[in-house]
Structure formats: C-alpha cells, structure tokens
Amino acid sequence: MAKTLSAREIMEKLVSFPTVSSDTNLPLIDWVEEYLQGHGVKTQRHPHPEQPIKAALSAHTGPWEEGAVVLSGHTDVVPVEGQPWDSDPFTVVEKDGKYFGRGCCDMKGFDAIAIWAMVEAQQRGVKRPLQLALSYDEEVGCIGAIPLIEAMEPVLPKGSAVIVGEPSMMQAVTGHKGGQGYTVRVRGFEVHSSLLPTGVSAVLEAAKVIEWINRTNAANRNAAPDEVAAMFFPPYTTLHVGRIHGGTARNITAKDCWFDLEMRVVPGEDKKSWRNAFKAHVAEVQAAMQAIQPGSGIDLEPLFSVEALKPEENGEAEALVRAITGDNATHVVSYGTEAGFFQTKGYSAVVCGPGDIAQAHQPNEFSTVAQFDAGIAFMERLLTRLQEGR
C-alpha cells in the first residue's frame, strides 16, 4: 500500500503540477489516480473527447450504492505569466500563517483535502459512500463539467449531495449567477474616411452593439429585482465588455473590430432569452451594415456557458453542509462554479470550500493556514457522519 499523505502534503504535490488551462493536466491525474488506487479507492479516468492532453477523474469509496456525497473540484489553474510573484508559484510556501502557491486558494487546497478524505473514508470504513469528481478547464468556462458528470453516470452509482469546494470561507453558498460569453467579430468595409457613407466602419458598428449593452445594463439596474435577484450584488443580470480591438488607421473605415462579451445571469432568468435578445439586436445592426455593403457583417463565437446555481427548497447538500458547519446565514455569489451543472443533472448542490475568492487568480495567491485547517475539520466531521451512515 502507498504511503498515506497528509492533506498538506497532497496540496504540495498538486500545486507542483503547472496545470494552467492551456496545458496538460495528465501528470496530475496520473498521480491522483495512482495514489488513490494505491489505497484501494476505485477510480475512473474520463479523457477529454477531443484533446488527448486533458482528462477528468472520478472515484468512489464505501458501499457500491446510490446516495453518495460527492466532493467536486477542478484541476486547472489560471496563468502566472506577467504576475509579480515573490516565490515559485508552483511550490507551496508557508509564511505568516498563509499557504502561498498557484491553486492554494482556487482550488487545489480543497482538492487536496478531498483526496485526503477519500483515503480516510476507505481506511476507516463508511456506511454511506463518498465520491470525488475532478474536472478540467473550469477556468475557461466550466467546459469540463458536463462531460465529467455525463461520464460518471454510467460507471458510478449516482450521488445525491454535491459539495463544490470553491473558496467560500467554509460558508454554505446556495446560489450563484450563471453566465455566457461571446467573442463578437464585426466585419466592415474599408474606404477613405472622407467617403464614410460608402464604407462600413467595424469600430462604429461595434460601438452600436456596445451601446445596446450599456442601455441594457441601465434598464436592469433600474428595474425592481425579484426575491432571488435581490439576494445578489449587483441584484440584476449584468453584461460586460472586457476586451476590444479594431481598426487599421485614423483615416480608413475599420475593416475589423472584435470584442469579448460576458453575461452574468441571475438564477431564475433564462440564459437563452438573454442570448436571443442580444442576437436580435446584432441582427438589426448587421442588416443596416449590409444595406450599405453586403459583404459586411457580425459573427458571434461562443466562449463559455455556465449554469446558475438556484437556491433549493429543502436541499440535501445545503442541509448537510449547514449541519456540519453550523452556518445558518444566507450566502450567494456572483461568480460561477460547476455546482449549477450538477444541479441541472439532478443532484442537490452547494458551494463550500476553504479560502477567500478575493485571493483567487492573484499574484502571491494564498489560503490561510486557518482556512485550510477548517477545511480538514469539516471533512473530519463529514467522515464521522458517513461512518454513521448519515
């Protein structure tokens, strides 16, 4: 049997793998798979359907029956290039009561605690099963969530309560916004700027679309939020343009312009309706462009789509986390997680993990030692419940 590692030792190993979303995560998956199997835990590898350098992993311990608690995390991290780190981002450094390293907060700290808990559950024996779900490409739009969930269904007994360990300061987060994004590519027609009416400026046409975004944000801001929306900050769906580029020269109508759009949609509102409203306005702008130059137009390239997490009535996952933490306050967040995807697939889901989301993606990313230890204490109490069959 393999040596049993502490949660901290597992975190140190996970952080050492530079699993930036654009790169492979297979060395990490190989290690986790070997470590869990070495302790008798059943694992399943789920290769990316198109990219051979990526894979997800699921695992099961305890009775081979439905109703498991599922610990969900992602294996990828955001890039470190251009960030002023004080230490090697891929080496865990403990200093001033903090663990520094890329992923210590988001979210290899939780992954490590979850892997530790799987081995502990296997060694102690549990009457209720425990499962692990490690995905890829969460940081680029939760792309790996649905393939992982669908791959788990035919090979594992279905779990019932999912704990997604994104950093929440160990609070029970029961709702978050959904989202979708597009790269908007505007194709103009170049003429000398003195002949402006005969050409189509991609920059000016892009500005019309962005102005619709501004108007929509203003209308949403001024509308009275419903009960669910009022839980969030801001209490409405937001549309945001984060990047824009275009044009050739000061005196030429721009041939090209592109920008990235994201929508963060409050639970209860239909992402499809927002998508249709946006596409309808784009179609109006495009029709006016093509009336001048038929070859001009606007292309939409999907970037991501994240399901909202809706507060559940009598949710099993929420009740479980509240029973363990004693946290009875209401917590919702505006960032997205994989919890909404589990919920849409019939699982009860909640977000609860160590660390502060404000530290995620930052140079010198960290989780406090106290938060990491709180995550371990949470798992100890969860293991006790599973041993009792609860």
Side-chain angles (χ1 to χ4, degrees):
M1 181 178 290
K3 176 186 176 183
T4 301
L5 302 178
S6 68
R8 174 177 172 168
E9 288 172 324
I10 297 172
M11 178 174 67
E12 290 173 345
K13 191 65 180 179
L14 297 183
V15 170
S16 74
F17 296 107
T19 52
V20 176
S21 303
S22 58
D23 300 327
T24 183
N25 74 335
L26 293 185
L28 182 150
I29 293 295
D30 291 341
W31 184 87
V32 175
E33 186 175 54
E34 181 179 355
Y35 181 73
L36 290 177
Q37 289 179 356
H39 288 86
V41 178
K42 300 180 180 69
T43 67
Q44 293 282 343
R45 181 184 292 232
H46 310 289
H48 191 294
E50 298 175 354
Q51 298 183 36
I53 65 170
K54 300 284 182 71
L57 186 77
S58 62
H60 181 104
T61 187
W64 195 257
E65 61 188 31
E66 295 187 349
V69 175
V70 183
L71 305 177
S72 168
H74 61 81
T75 61
D76 58 321
V77 296
V78 297
V80 299
E81 284 76 16
Q83 292 188 331
W85 283 75
D86 295 333
S87 58
D88 178 1
F90 301 109
T91 299
V92 175
V93 174
E94 181 179 354
K95 182 181 179 182
D96 300 328
K98 301 171 183 176
Y99 291 130
F100 293 90
R102 175 58 88 220
C104 282
C105 177
D106 185 17
M107 61 180 299
K108 289 180 177 179
F110 174 83
D111 292 347
I113 296 169
I115 294 166
W116 171 84
M118 292 293 294
V119 172
E120 289 294 312
Q122 178 72 14
Q123 294 178 346
R124 300 181 192 186
V126 289
K127 295 180 180 178
R128 181 181 180 182
L130 183 65
Q131 293 181 351
L132 177 70
L134 295 179
S135 69
Y136 52 78
D137 288 351
E138 190 274 347
E139 295 291 7
V140 289
C142 295
I143 293 172
I146 287 297
L148 171 57
I149 297 168
E150 292 179 345
M152 290 170 60
E153 289 178 344
V155 298
L156 292 178
K158 187 170 183 178
S160 58
V162 179
I163 302 172
V164 178
E166 292 282 2
S168 73
M169 299 295 287
M170 298 308 302
Q171 295 175 333
V173 171
T174 58
H176 66 63
K177 293 184 179 182
Q180 56 195 341
Y182 298 91
T183 293
V184 182
R185 301 188 184 279
V186 185
R187 295 175 283 107
F189 186 86
E190 291 180 309
V191 298
H192 192 279
S193 58
S194 65
L195 302 174
L196 180 64
T198 65
V200 174
S201 168
V203 169
L204 294 179
E205 301 304 322
K208 294 178 183 178
V209 179
I210 294 172
E211 179 52 29
W212 178 85
I213 293 170
N214 285 328
R215 293 198 307 270
T216 300
N217 279 331
N220 290 352
R221 183 171 59 249
N222 293 329
D226 63 21
E227 184 178 354
V228 173
M231 300 168 64
F232 290 84
F233 178 81
Y236 52 87
T237 292
T238 58
L239 286 68
H240 173 249
V241 175
R243 295 191 302 168
I244 186 168
H245 179 80
T248 304
R250 174 187 56 79
N251 58 351
I252 302 175
T253 56
K255 180 180 180 181
D256 298 294
C257 183
W258 65 264
F259 61 88
D260 288 340
L261 164 68
E262 69 165 24
M263 304 180 187
R264 295 192 178 270
V265 182
V266 296
E269 293 186 3
D270 185 5
K271 285 193 306 177
K272 184 177 179 180
S273 295
W274 282 107
R275 180 170 65 247
N276 290 342
F278 175 64
K279 287 185 174 181
H281 179 72
V282 166
E284 292 179 6
V285 174
Q286 178 173 263
M289 294 167 61
Q290 293 178 342
I292 301 172
Q293 291 291 344
S296 60
I298 303 176
D299 302 314
L300 302 180
E301 176 184 327
L303 287 174
F304 69 91
S305 180
V306 176
E307 296 295 333
L309 176 65
K310 303 173 184 177
E312 301 172 1
E313 185 174 352
N314 300 318
E316 179 186 353
E318 176 186 350
L320 174 62
V321 169
R322 292 194 187 283
I324 294 173
T325 63
D327 175 21
N328 291 315
T330 298
H331 307 286
V332 298
V333 295
S334 291
Y335 60 81
T337 78
E338 295 177 331
F341 292 98
F342 279 99
Q343 191 177 67
T344 60
K345 287 294 184 176
Y347 297 82
S348 175
V350 67
V351 177
C352 183
D356 185 346
I357 193 64
Q359 301 305 322
H361 305 180
Q362 298 297 308
N364 298 321
E365 175 185 344
F366 70 84
S367 179
T368 65
V369 174
Q371 274 292 299
F372 189 73
D373 290 346
I376 296 173
F378 174 94
M379 287 299 175
E380 284 282 9
R381 292 191 288 271
L382 174 62
L383 288 167
T384 298
R385 294 177 68 93
L386 297 179
Q387 287 175 280
E388 296 170 352
R390 294 189 288 153

